[in-house]
C-alpha cells in the first residue's frame, strides 16, 4: 500500500520513523529507512540486483557516482546568489 504523508501529519509521525525522517518503507511490519538501502532492497527482491559481488559493486559504484552528480546540481540550484552559483558551476 502506498501511503503518502501530508505535511501537517508529519510532526506527529516523525518520532515513530527510523532516524526521524523519510523515506521509509514498511515490509511485513518492519520499517526500512534510507533511500539507497530501500532501493537496494527493492532491486534484490525483484531480481534486479546482481548476485555476484563484483557486479553488485559496479552497480553500487554507478549509483554512488550518480548521487555525487545530483548533489552538485542541487548545491548549484539552491546556491544563495549568482556568484555562488558561478563558483559551483566552475567546480
Amino acid at each position: 500500500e502506498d501511503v503518502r504523508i501530508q505535511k501537517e501529519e508529519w510532526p506527529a509521525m516523525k518520532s515513530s520513523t527510523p532516524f526521524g525522517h523519510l523515506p521509509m518503507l514498511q515490509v511485513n511490519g518492519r520499517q526500512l529507512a534510507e533511500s539507497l538501502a530501500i532501493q537496494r532492497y527493492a532491486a534484490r527482491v525483484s531480481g534486479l540486483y546482481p548476485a555476484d559481488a563484483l557486479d553488485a559493486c559496479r552497480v553500487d559504484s554507478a549509483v554512488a557516482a550518480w548521487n555525487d552528480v545530483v548533489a552538485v546540481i542541487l548545491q548549484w540550484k539552491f546556491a544563495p546568489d549568482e556568484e555562488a552559483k558561478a563558483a559551483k558551476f566552475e567546480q
Side-chain angles (χ1 to χ4, degrees):
E1 178 182 2
D2 183 9
V3 177
R4 306 286 170 132
I5 309 301
Q6 300 301 313
K7 188 174 184 177
E8 56 275 359
E9 298 172 312
W10 174 240
M13 296 182 68
K14 185 175 181 175
S15 65
S16 68
T17 62
F19 311 117
H21 61 81
L22 298 174
M24 177 194 62
L25 176 66
Q26 191 162 358
V27 178
N28 298 327
R30 296 176 68 181
Q31 293 181 335
L32 309 175
E34 296 298 329
S35 297
L36 291 177
I38 292 169
Q39 291 168 17
R40 198 171 287 123
Y41 168 79
R44 281 189 177 124
V45 298
S46 65
L48 296 174
Y49 195 78
D52 178 79
L54 290 175
D55 289 340
C57 184
R58 292 183 66 198
V59 169
D60 291 343
S61 295
V63 170
W66 175 249
N67 285 338
D68 290 346
V69 169
V70 169
V72 171
I73 291 169
L74 290 175
Q75 289 174 6
W76 172 82
K77 180 174 175 51
F78 294 106
D81 55 45
E82 292 304 315
E83 187 176 324
K85 280 188 177 190
K88 287 291 174 192
F89 185 76
E90 291 300 318
Q91 286 181 339

